Amino acid sequence: MKNLTTTVIFNREVAPGYLRMRVMAPDLKAQVQPGQFVMLRVRKGTVPFLRRPFGIFDIGQLPPENGNAEPLDYLELLYRVVGEGTALMAGLREGDPVEVLGPLGNGFNLRIPAGDVVLVAGGVGVAPLLTSARAFAASHNVELLLGGKTRDDILAVEDFKAAHVPVRVSTEDGSEGVRGLVTQLLAGRLREGRPALVAACGPMPMLRAVRDVCRDAQVPLQVSLESLMGCGVGACLGCMVKGAAHTEEHPQLLSVCKDGPVFDGDALAW
């Protein structure tokens, strides 16, 4: 884990309300595990008071230039403008300073049996799945099922295709792909054959539905949870969820930032 004071390379809108931001991340590439996240501070001061958590969309290297003898690591985030912090992020430009803490949390477990891997994403939940798709694709056939309310919520399709990951799309209004929910896509895909794993990220109602589909089909599931976080390291207890063994007499509370954000589907109280 590092706390980097770094600079923005670019910050571009890729769909209405969605942006991709790339920042310099010296010596970070080797540390990142697929599915981890970072905490971002967009400016000094107390407004906004807390950093914001973001799944790592991409991590890579820029070729040597301007006299640099070595490649330069970069980190890329895919985010939606939803409040004060992300609105400030959207205003950042090339060369602006940002502070990045990470990588944080536990990523996807890549040690799974042979077979297909089906990734399921809802909207900006696709963000932590690109690096995961590349990692799983080293030894498995991987495909992505991507859902959104409208075509504006369908993100990063070309990035997955460039990684040789086939993509199936659904939208609730039918403006892109097939009409319906991504969980309907998943149910249809599981009828075609049982994969080794389903890995999903998106809103909690979507993840609950994914869990139900996978439970009925007896397919292993890993989920990446989205949560508001105060610290990102498990100290503030601001992102707790109930574990599968939780009871009022014997509570089992898990921290999304420290115990997750990726959990086995059977580890949570749905």
Side-chain angles (χ1 to χ4, degrees):
M1 179 179 66
K2 289 188 173 186
N3 189 30
L4 300 173
T5 299
T6 184
T7 56
V8 174
I9 299 173
F10 65 70
N11 192 29
R12 302 169 182 161
E13 188 173 59
V14 294
Y18 294 97
L19 293 92
R20 284 171 64 159
M21 184 167 72
R22 180 178 290 183
V23 303
M24 300 301 301
D27 303 319
L28 201 65
K29 185 175 185 294
Q31 298 184 35
V32 173
Q33 300 299 315
Q36 288 186 299
F37 70 98
V38 295
M39 299 288 288
L40 190 76
R41 188 188 304 279
V42 297
R43 68 180 183 184
K44 293 182 179 180
T46 59
V47 182
F49 180 68
L50 298 175
R51 302 177 192 241
R52 298 298 194 268
F54 296 95
I56 296 171
F57 175 64
D58 203 1
I59 186 85
Q61 290 184 321
L62 299 173
E65 60 181 10
N66 299 327
N68 293 315
E70 300 294 332
L72 301 175
D73 291 354
Y74 68 81
L75 177 75
E76 198 165 320
L77 307 176
L78 175 64
Y79 66 98
R80 183 180 184 181
V81 178
V82 294
E84 181 182 32
T86 47
L88 288 170
M89 282 179 63
L92 295 173
R93 297 294 180 264
E94 179 182 355
D96 285 346
V98 291
E99 192 174 307
V100 178
L101 178 67
L104 299 167
N106 297 299
F108 288 95
N109 179 10
L110 305 177
R111 298 183 296 276
I112 61 171
D116 297 340
V117 173
V118 177
L119 307 176
V120 183
V124 78
V126 75
L129 296 183
L130 180 61
T131 57
S132 307
R134 293 193 187 116
F136 280 121
S139 54
H140 298 78
N141 293 321
V142 181
E143 60 187 295
L144 171 68
L145 310 182
L146 178 56
K149 291 185 177 180
T150 75
R151 66 187 308 163
D152 290 339
D153 303 308
I154 302 303
L155 309 168
V157 171
E158 295 306 316
D159 296 273
F160 283 86
K161 289 182 177 179
H164 307 291
V165 174
V167 181
R168 304 189 200 187
V169 171
S170 68
T171 50
E172 294 180 30
D173 67 354
S175 56
E176 187 83 10
V178 300
R179 181 188 294 271
L181 301 174
V182 72
T183 46
Q184 294 171 291
L185 275 185
L186 175 62
R189 168 58 184 83
L190 297 188
R191 286 193 292 270
E192 297 172 10
R194 187 176 185 272
L197 177 72
V198 170
C201 184
M204 186 58 79
M206 185 207 89
L207 293 181
R208 289 193 185 98
V210 168
R211 185 260 184 177
D212 291 343
V213 171
C214 290
R215 179 193 56 194
D216 292 344
Q218 297 185 324
V219 173
L221 172 66
Q222 295 180 35
V223 294
S224 176
L225 300 189
E226 300 173 337
S227 177
L228 296 174
M229 297 177 187
C231 67
V233 295
C236 72
L237 307 181
C239 59
M240 308 303 287
V241 293
K242 294 178 182 178
H246 179 86
T247 66
E248 294 302 318
E249 294 79 15
H250 302 285
Q252 183 194 27
L253 297 176
L254 305 173
S255 168
V256 174
C257 66
K258 187 175 181 181
D259 299 312
V262 179
F263 294 90
D264 186 278
D266 292 331
L268 302 174
W270 294 99

